[in-house]
Amino acid sequence: MNKREKMGKFCEEVRKLSIEIMGAITESLGLGRDYLSSRMDENGTQVMAVNCYPPCPGPEKALGLPPHSDYSCITILLQNLAGLKIFDPMAHGGSGRWVVVPQVTGVLKVHIGDHVEVLSNGLYKSVVHKVTLNEEKTRISLASLHSLDMNDKMSVPCELVNDENPVRYKESSFKDFLDFLVKNDISQGDRFIDTLRIKD
């Protein structure tokens, strides 16, 4: 099997895994395992991003990727070195702190994306993360983002709405997110999910 075939096989298997993980998430919300399966399997979107971060002599002065959350249901990540940091908003009495995600060889990391935050009406929160650089080694990551079709809008299911839990998010699609990217600078901290939250 050549490298192209191996990459194709990896994409195929990680897509199957994403459907399994999303089934567990929707089941945990009381929606059943198959709530999104057809919208993510035959009709869904998978975006593969291969990132290469060369050694940086002053890693504390640069960022590989600024803080952001992924506009997907989930992101499945494989990396060769530590460098991923996630923001823990509950640390330090609610002021938050950045936590390094430890590197374990061969382990896949799974991030909750903005689409799941909307789907769950805020019960799940999308993971704010950033990438730091290494002074001596090249870091390579493969990120597989999984979501609905480009124009398919994610919304809060009626099963998760009642008098105590009103709808807290506007519906949106991946295309809406791309339109947001054109008009906003995520390197300055602009997050699409913030535009979807319905104010009390």
Side-chain angles (χ1 to χ4, degrees):
M1 190 180 286
N2 62 35
K3 289 182 181 176
R4 178 179 292 183
E5 291 169 332
K6 286 180 181 176
M7 190 62 178
K9 185 67 174 169
F10 177 80
C11 291
E12 186 181 315
E13 293 302 320
V14 83
R15 185 179 182 88
K16 290 177 189 173
L17 178 61
S18 75
I19 302 298
E20 288 295 315
I21 293 170
M22 281 307 302
I25 289 171
T26 56
E27 186 174 43
S28 77
L29 293 169
L31 302 171
R33 291 191 71 83
D34 296 327
Y35 183 78
L36 288 178
S37 58
S38 65
R39 292 170 70 190
M40 286 189 67
D41 194 2
E42 302 91 18
N43 304 306
T45 302
Q46 178 180 14
V47 176
M48 289 294 300
V50 180
N51 301 298
C52 179
Y53 305 96
C56 178
E60 67 287 341
K61 297 177 184 175
L63 269 181
L65 272 178
H68 66 285
S69 57
D70 295 335
Y71 191 72
S72 58
C73 286
I74 58 172
T75 300
I76 300 174
L77 179 76
L78 180 65
Q79 61 181 8
N80 69 327
L81 290 175
L84 178 68
K85 288 187 175 183
I86 60 172
F87 188 70
D88 177 0
M90 303 310 291
H92 298 300
S95 61
R97 72 181 175 114
W98 288 99
V99 179
V100 176
V101 176
Q103 172 55 24
V104 181
T105 303
V107 169
L108 298 171
K109 282 95 178 151
V110 179
H111 298 181
I112 296 292
D114 292 346
H115 254 165
V116 167
E117 184 167 335
V118 171
L119 171 73
S120 70
N121 205 23
L123 293 172
Y124 285 101
K125 301 293 185 192
S126 55
V127 177
V128 177
H129 55 285
K130 65 181 180 179
V131 176
T132 56
L133 302 174
N134 190 291
E135 192 169 7
E136 300 172 355
K137 296 180 180 177
T138 296
R139 178 179 178 270
I140 297 173
S141 70
L142 281 106
S144 185
L145 293 86
H146 301 268
S147 206
L148 308 180
D149 179 76
M150 186 73 69
N151 295 301
D152 192 355
K153 291 190 181 285
M154 180 67 82
S155 59
V156 177
C158 61
E159 294 92 334
L160 300 182
V161 177
N162 56 41
D163 291 342
E164 291 79 34
N165 296 295
V167 173
R168 292 187 165 89
Y169 298 84
K170 302 171 195 169
E171 67 175 12
S172 66
S173 67
F174 194 75
K175 184 180 182 306
D176 295 331
F177 169 67
L178 295 178
D179 292 342
F180 170 84
L181 281 184
V182 171
K183 299 171 187 169
N184 296 274
D185 185 358
I186 62 169
S187 70
Q188 299 303 310
D190 295 340
R191 291 182 62 211
F192 184 58
I193 191 70
D194 293 333
T195 70
L196 301 179
R197 291 192 179 101
I198 297 171
K199 310 292 185 216
D200 291 333

